[in-house]
Amino acid sequence: MEYRITTPVTREMLAPLRAGDAVLLSGTVYTARDAAHARLCELLRRGEEAPFPLCGSAVYYVGPTPERPGEPIGAAGPTTAGRMDRFSPMLIERGQLLMIGKGARSDAVKEAIVRYGAVYLGAVGGAGAVMAAAVRSAKVICWPDLGCEAVRALTVEDLPLTVVIDAQGNDLYELGPKEYLASL
Amino acid sequence: MRTVKASAVTDAVAELCIRANRELPPDVRAALERARAAEPWPTAQRGLDILLDNLALAAEKQLPICQDTGMACVFLELGQDVHIDGDLNAAVQAGIRAGYARGYLRCSVVADPLRRVNTGDNTPGVLSVRLVPGDVCRLTVLPKGFGSENMSRLQMLTPADGAEGVRRFVLDTVRAAGPNPCPPIVVGIGVGGTFDGVAALAKRALLRPLDAANPDPYYAEMERTLLEEINALGIGPQGFGGRTTALGLAIETAPTHVAGLPVAVNISCHATRRASAAL
């Protein structure tokens, strides 16, 4: 199946998605990777507000290349999501519903996904130019000192993604290879 | 004695950083195209099509293929009859600085591994010099992304582990890496030498064109069968399943100690980028 989804999302919107489905995502997506996740969770632990609304949000694990003059963004493919595993459950508990990245997630993240009806979407690893083509605008909204790791608000149109872990806990990284091997 | 100006090294490194990040070497692109033609699984076919589209779009938009423009690994093959006029290491670092700025490439290097402040210019890169007879001066830049670097492993096997131990370690490493290193991957393997040396061998194996086999028929056969076994794991492009898990595999070896069998696996992604120039 192919779904068109616009952020912010609700768990009801995500409930029909199944591992392997295609998603074209539009709306606002926040970028955050290693250093931004560490700072974000430190803020939350201190009881402070997140720098962007977490409820129903989509976070894209990406550190783009610098934009050329006249372009909104440089190459913008996903980074390995597993490095965010220790932070994601806390963010999901506080309302984050979509995570966009590549690579395997921990059992703790899967449990949080199932409990809160979140979804992990895969972007195509290493396809920096293809992913950038869906970005209409980008604005650094906090921690500019982090350079490529600063948090940006991206406006995206039909960002091409695949459901990797759905809200029932099905994982395409397990199912896909298994299905292929069974076909031989 | 031939003299090469340090400034010529800087200019060449800058140009190679940009070229390597924007276009794949012909052997890697050809391997991707061959893999697409041979791929029977529809999901995997679509995944490979996106990677080929991405190459075309990056060329058209003058964008890097991947946003992880890597840590710049610079290899210099230097004839002992060449004199570098100036500070060689400084010249290489200046080239990286200039190339990453001019090419709109991402600066991904932190000055200290624990205190982690970005240096802001992607330096320092890693310079490896190999001295050879004659007056050659050949530079290769391999921008190494860390999604795949992080999935690399090293183990000190024992002599009794033998070829079977090496085989098992390689397959375990690729299986454990799964979808993380952006498959289809390129696998660089080092066998022999010392603890530090075997890692360098594995990195150097990534420089070999994917269509070139090891000159030793014993290792050429091992490369062929290991690649086949990796492509039977089913991981596939993006880890979504399929035949194409690896595009190529190279083994580099060195003499080692009677008591040891070091093995290192340096994993690289489908964007195995390298560019060379002779000065």
Side-chain angles (χ1 to χ4, degrees), chain B residues 180-260:
Chain B
N180 291 10
C182 290
I185 57 175
V186 173
V187 188
I189 300 167
V191 183
T194 53
F195 180 79
D196 56 323
V198 76
L201 283 175
K203 174 70 88 263
R204 216 168 255 284
L206 296 176
L207 298 180
R208 175 150 25 110
L210 303 187
D211 47 9
N214 192 301
D216 180 336
Y218 174 82
Y219 286 106
E221 175 60 16
M222 197 170 183
E223 288 174 351
R224 201 186 58 73
T225 54
L226 263 176
L227 183 60
E228 227 166 65
E229 287 186 279
I230 287 172
N231 283 327
L233 292 176
I235 297 168
Q238 296 185 68
F240 294 168
R243 181 187 179 280
T244 313
T245 297
L247 297 172
L249 178 148
I251 302 173
E252 294 292 328
T253 63
T256 190
H257 191 278
V258 286

Side-chain angles (χ1 to χ4, degrees), chain B residues 115-161:
Chain B
R115 287 168 292 188
R116 308 198 74 83
V117 176
N118 197 303
T119 61
D121 61 7
N122 216 51
T123 67
V126 182
L127 172 62
S128 312
V129 181
R130 180 138 76 176
L131 280 177
V132 295
D135 68 352
V136 68
C137 179
R138 189 178 161 78
L139 279 161
T140 300
V141 173
L142 175 93
K144 187 65 176 70
F146 260 55
S148 55
E149 194 78 351
N150 281 340
M151 296 295 114
S152 304
R153 295 202 303 189
L154 187 157
Q155 189 157 15
M156 304 303 282
L157 299 178
T158 65
D161 291 323

